[in-house]
Amino acid sequence: MTRRSNGVTLQQLHYFVEVAEERSISAAADVLYVAQPTMSAAMKDLETRVGRALLVRSARGVSLTTDGTEFLRYAKQVVEQMALLEQRYLGRPPSRRLLAVSAQHYSFAVDAFVRMVKGTGAPEYEFSLRETRTWEIIEDVRTLRSELGLLYRNDFNRNVIDKLLRDSGLVFHPLFLAQPHIFVSRRNPLASRKRATLDDLADLPRLTFDQGANNSFYFAEEILSTLSSKREIRVSDRATIFNLMIGLDGYTISTGIISDDLDPGIVAVPLDVDERIEIGWIGHSAIPLTEQAQRYLEEVRAVVEEAGVELLG
């Protein structure tokens, strides 16, 4: 008589990774063409087998428990290694999902992503690029929804960001230091200036990226977030912020690296302040980057160097 193993199956690990990626049991079931009750039962059975809760279920979907986050790290490695084995010895096609990145709203991050995708050469692929809030970038990487994240730190937010990263098992890897610039429409009177001062900005609408429930100064995407502004508009995406620059002569503060192809009609003007913006990528301290993630970072570095900004390290 054959004894049935009480261990976790590879299929359950595959299901669990997809549930964590989608943050929804029903969405994961749709992606894998599995009935939702089957997927739900598989997750409950998985939790029973490992003897601990891995998912927190709510009307909005699911999130990972602390145990679930740790379990996901191992599950992803097992699933990915099995996929590599099948490709190498069984002739299976490579996985469509190659890389997921979360980032603050930087055109250089998008430019590098475009180059990376074009250079992949795969007949089929599934990439993910999320321009999102600072807190969510950290959460995405912590829970392995994204393999890496791009964000900034400076003297003001460094201690808070670094502590949050340490608590999440993440590490910040510096890429470059940028001089702060304002982004404005080409029609803005400041567009022709060699430099802009804070006094020049006093009567212009300040455009910032909304940080949602975690709207702390420390999580702001723009430096000098504690300075008051007579006119403040919060937005959620780059397209909107650029439209408001053009329509309202507003401005935002960023790195100065801008793509003419991706950001038409917008110019960068150096801001005369004694500040620097340190841009870096974050990832898990104990999980090495995949080859695809390394390729993406190579493209990021190339875009930055072409903009005339010196890399760190």
Side-chain angles (χ1 to χ4, degrees):
M1 178 182 291
T2 302
R3 295 182 61 185
R4 180 182 177 185
S5 171
N6 290 323
V8 173
T9 68
L10 183 61
Q11 183 183 62
Q12 285 177 318
L13 295 181
H14 186 194
Y15 285 179
F16 180 73
V17 169
E18 197 66 44
V19 168
E21 293 277 1
E22 298 295 331
R23 298 189 180 184
S24 166
I25 289 177
S26 58
D30 290 342
V31 169
L32 296 176
Y33 302 101
V34 176
Q36 192 274 336
T38 300
M39 180 69 75
S40 183
M43 292 301 93
K44 289 180 180 178
D45 183 60
L46 175 63
E47 290 177 307
T48 299
R49 289 175 183 241
V50 300
R52 62 195 70 189
L54 303 176
L55 300 170
V56 177
R57 297 158 176 82
S58 71
R60 294 182 298 176
V62 298
S63 59
L64 296 176
T65 64
T66 300
D67 286 331
T69 300
E70 182 178 5
F71 185 83
L72 179 62
R73 299 176 190 174
Y74 294 102
K76 288 195 75 168
Q77 291 182 60
V78 172
V79 170
E80 289 171 0
Q81 289 298 316
M82 188 61 191
L84 289 173
L85 186 150
E86 290 178 339
Q87 293 165 33
R88 177 69 176 83
Y89 294 103
L90 302 180
R92 299 283 175 84
S95 171
R96 286 169 50 89
R97 177 165 291 167
L98 299 179
L99 178 65
V101 175
S102 294
Q104 291 176 329
H105 300 78
Y106 299 127
S107 62
F108 69 82
V110 180
D111 201 349
F113 201 85
V114 170
R115 297 186 186 192
M116 182 267 297
V117 172
K118 286 183 176 179
T120 299
E124 296 185 11
Y125 54 71
E126 183 178 337
F127 293 108
S128 172
L129 175 61
R130 278 171 41 84
E131 285 191 333
T132 188
R133 299 161 175 166
T134 303
W135 178 276
E136 292 177 2
I137 293 169
I138 296 171
E139 275 296 286
D140 282 352
V141 180
R142 183 186 71 82
T143 60
L144 297 177
R145 182 179 189 182
S146 290
E147 185 172 348
L148 63 87
L150 290 171
L151 48 76
Y152 97 94
R153 66 182 184 184
N154 67 350
D155 290 341
F156 174 71
N157 70 2
R158 185 183 309 274
N159 290 339
V160 172
I161 294 295
D162 285 354
K163 182 180 186 305
L164 183 56
L165 293 178
R166 285 195 304 272
D167 292 345
S168 301
L170 307 179
V171 178
F172 182 96
H173 303 269
L175 286 169
F176 64 93
L177 282 176
Q179 178 186 352
H181 286 62
I182 58 168
F183 285 178
V184 293
S185 162
R186 293 187 185 276
R187 298 182 297 185
N188 190 299
L190 296 178
S192 60
R193 298 275 294 273
K194 290 185 177 180
R195 301 185 73 81
T197 68
L198 292 177
D199 288 340
D200 294 328
L201 307 177
D203 294 322
L204 298 181
R206 180 170 69 181
L207 310 174
T208 60
F209 287 106
D210 178 66
Q211 296 298 318
N214 298 289
N215 200 30
S216 162
F217 290 131
Y218 296 109
F219 296 125
E221 194 165 323
E222 306 80 16
I223 65 168
L224 307 174
S225 58
T226 58
L227 295 183
S228 61
S229 174
K230 291 187 291 186
R231 301 175 181 180
E232 179 94 17
I233 301 175
R234 293 190 178 94
V235 302
S236 60
D237 62 87
R238 275 195 308 125
T240 299
I241 211 169
F242 289 156
N243 287 337
L244 293 177
M245 286 178 201
I246 296 170
L248 296 175
D249 278 337
Y251 74 92
T252 193
I253 302 176
S254 192
T255 63
I257 303 176
I258 196 165
S259 169
D260 291 334
D261 293 334
L262 299 176
D263 309 319
I266 304 300
V267 297
V269 180
L271 182 61
D272 193 11
V273 292
D274 187 22
E275 293 272 354
R276 287 295 182 271
I277 302 171
E278 183 183 29
I279 304 292
W281 65 272
I282 62 172
H284 275 274
S285 57
I287 303 177
L289 290 180
T290 62
E291 185 177 339
Q292 194 68 44
Q294 294 176 40
R295 288 199 198 103
Y296 174 66
L297 289 177
E298 288 172 4
E299 296 293 356
V300 170
R301 294 184 180 99
V303 170
V304 171
E305 283 191 307
E306 289 169 18
V309 178
E310 186 176 350
L311 294 170
L312 295 172

